[in-house]
Amino acid sequence: MPSQNSEFILLRSRLTEFLQKQHLRKTPERYAILAKAVELSAHFDVDQLYNALESEGYHVSRATVYNTLELLCEAGILNRHLFEPNQARYEVGRGNHIHLICRRCGSIREVDDPVLTERILSHHFSDFLPEYSSSSVYGICADCRKMGRD
């Protein structure tokens, strides 16, 4: 089930190192969840990941999925976002970017803005060291505007 692409291999190694440092078990479920998260690649929620695992015949509890996602965030492998109230979405931490979120259809598009990212990350925050940056801009996407949903 786990994909063997180079990104997964690197992230699997990071997870193994994190689990060893934290004295946590290296379970097949954790690695399977990581593999599916890498495969999904887009912004996904717990249910999407759980259903993707189930559809491939890999049975694991929702609690295990949720707990593993939190563990992967703690390890710096995934980033958690709250684009909507009470709905966490996850993505593999692939660098800094801006999320453009349509308030009508919910689509999420990523754009890079190195100048803005550099300004944010180089800003001196009192008693705080930034690790990564994620900004969200809410509005109406072009498709919704064309369909008169604005």
Side-chain angles (χ1 to χ4, degrees):
M1 184 277 208
S3 74
Q4 290 300 312
N5 69 41
S6 59
E7 181 180 35
F8 172 73
I9 292 168
L10 174 66
L11 295 175
R12 180 183 172 90
S13 174
R14 284 180 56 193
L15 176 58
T16 298
E17 183 179 321
F18 176 81
L19 294 172
Q20 287 172 336
K21 285 182 181 175
Q22 299 297 316
H23 305 289
L24 297 170
R25 293 182 304 132
K26 296 180 277 299
T27 65
E29 292 82 8
R30 288 176 173 162
Y31 291 105
I33 291 167
L34 171 62
K36 186 51 67 179
V38 171
E39 185 181 311
L40 290 176
S41 76
H43 304 91
F44 59 89
D45 63 27
V46 172
D47 290 333
Q48 289 168 319
L49 181 60
Y50 174 81
N51 291 334
L53 290 164
E54 282 288 319
S55 72
E56 291 185 3
Y58 197 92
H59 303 294
V60 62
S61 73
R62 284 183 198 274
T64 297
V65 172
Y66 178 79
N67 291 334
T68 300
L69 288 175
E70 294 304 308
L71 184 77
L72 293 170
C73 288
E74 188 180 331
I77 294 170
L78 295 183
N79 294 332
R80 181 187 328 97
H81 302 284
L82 291 172
F83 297 130
E84 307 102 25
N86 304 318
Q87 180 62 46
R89 296 217 179 219
Y90 301 86
E91 68 177 336
V92 174
R94 294 186 176 109
N96 303 302
H97 51 269
I98 298 170
H99 296 101
L100 303 178
I101 304 161
C102 180
R103 292 185 310 106
R104 299 290 183 244
C105 69
S107 67
I108 303 169
R109 192 176 96 201
E110 294 180 358
V111 295
D112 292 327
D113 187 332
V115 174
L116 182 57
T117 297
E118 177 60 29
R119 284 191 74 187
I120 292 170
L121 292 177
S122 66
H123 184 78
H124 175 70
F125 297 95
S126 178
D127 296 326
F128 186 80
L129 177 64
E131 293 179 345
Y132 73 93
S133 167
S134 173
S135 300
S136 299
V137 178
Y138 295 83
I140 310 297
C141 72
D143 289 341
C144 287
R145 284 195 320 272
K146 285 179 195 170
M147 293 174 36
R149 293 190 201 163
D150 59 346

